[in-house]
Amino acid sequence: RPGLWDPVRRWLGRTWLRLFGWRIEGEIPDASRFVAVAAPHTSYWDFPHMMAFGFATGQYISFLMKASLFVGPCGVLFRSLGGIPVDRSRSGGLVESVAREFERRSELIVVIAPEGSRARGEAWKSGFHRLALRAGVPIALGYLDYGRKTVGYGPLYWPSPEGDEALLASFYADKRGRHPGQETPPRLHHADR
């Protein structure tokens, strides 16, 4: 995918982050295929900031969107930004569908916000964890910390069948979303494991 537009993408991403006061920290994972957690997720602003981070660091990140949104010019735009259309009406089909994308591609970074929505919930959805296990890829702990205005990745790790909740809780304990009262605790929803 790298091409002539890479310097422009990097400039756009860095300019966006600078304008909004964000600072990149940490290392970019040394892997061509992984699932990236995006947390905490409490605001519509999380998406453009995360995309800018991808642009600024030269990553081609992908994200999941309802297939019904991929029509006409919007479909072209979403695909060019890394969107992967998914049919959420099929139970259990999401993990299999995205796992097949990992099988097809030699390079793929899929960013998933496990909180599922911007409102506070009881626990994270476990789809990101099940996807990484099914696809045989590691997980990178990505974050947008509005408290310190930093964006980056924590450790890259291989998921265990148990869920790695202690690691998630420890890593995200000091990361704040734009609306801290809407953060969902980083523990996995047991019903959808």
Side-chain angles (χ1 to χ4, degrees):
R1 282 217 216 165
L4 295 172
W5 290 103
D6 277 4
V8 175
R9 289 176 83 249
R10 283 181 183 262
W11 180 83
L12 286 171
R14 289 175 180 155
T15 300
W16 177 279
L17 293 175
R18 193 168 38 253
L19 285 173
F20 284 91
W22 288 91
R23 189 172 41 85
I24 296 172
E25 67 179 13
E27 298 293 318
I28 303 303
D30 185 19
S32 58
R33 300 184 327 139
F34 59 91
V35 171
V37 172
H41 177 42
T42 64
S43 167
Y44 282 113
W45 284 102
D46 298 345
F47 179 76
H49 294 330
M50 189 57 75
M51 291 302 297
F53 169 64
F55 278 28
T57 55
Q59 299 173 87
Y60 283 86
I61 60 176
S62 294
F63 53 92
L64 310 179
M65 286 185 80
K66 292 181 199 173
S68 61
L69 297 175
F70 284 78
V71 293
C74 286
V76 174
L77 174 64
F78 293 147
R79 283 183 207 284
S80 71
L81 289 174
I84 298 175
V86 293
D87 180 2
R88 295 182 182 179
S89 64
R90 293 181 42 226
S91 176
L94 181 62
V95 167
E96 284 302 315
S97 172
V98 182
R100 282 194 294 277
E101 286 293 318
F102 273 107
E103 291 168 2
R104 272 185 346 93
R105 304 187 197 188
S106 60
E107 294 183 12
L108 181 61
I109 302 168
V110 176
V111 176
I112 297 176
E115 288 168 271
S117 82
R118 292 162 305 282
R120 183 175 174 82
E122 291 299 312
W124 286 8
K125 297 182 182 305
S126 64
F128 78 97
H129 186 264
R130 290 183 290 122
L131 170 60
L133 283 172
R134 166 65 182 79
V137 297
I139 295 172
L141 300 180
Y143 61 91
L144 283 163
D145 182 0
Y146 283 81
R148 295 182 305 124
K149 282 307 225 10
T150 55
V151 56
Y153 289 111
L156 183 74
Y157 75 96
W158 291 92
S160 70
E162 290 74 40
D164 314 299
E165 290 186 15
L167 171 67
L168 298 174
S170 172
F171 181 75
Y172 288 103
D174 65 345
K175 311 295 187 289
R176 294 287 69 88
R178 185 164 195 223
H179 305 290
Q182 294 171 212
E183 293 172 21
T184 297
R187 57 179 176 262
L188 301 184
H189 191 274
H190 295 285
D192 65 359
R193 275 195 191 165

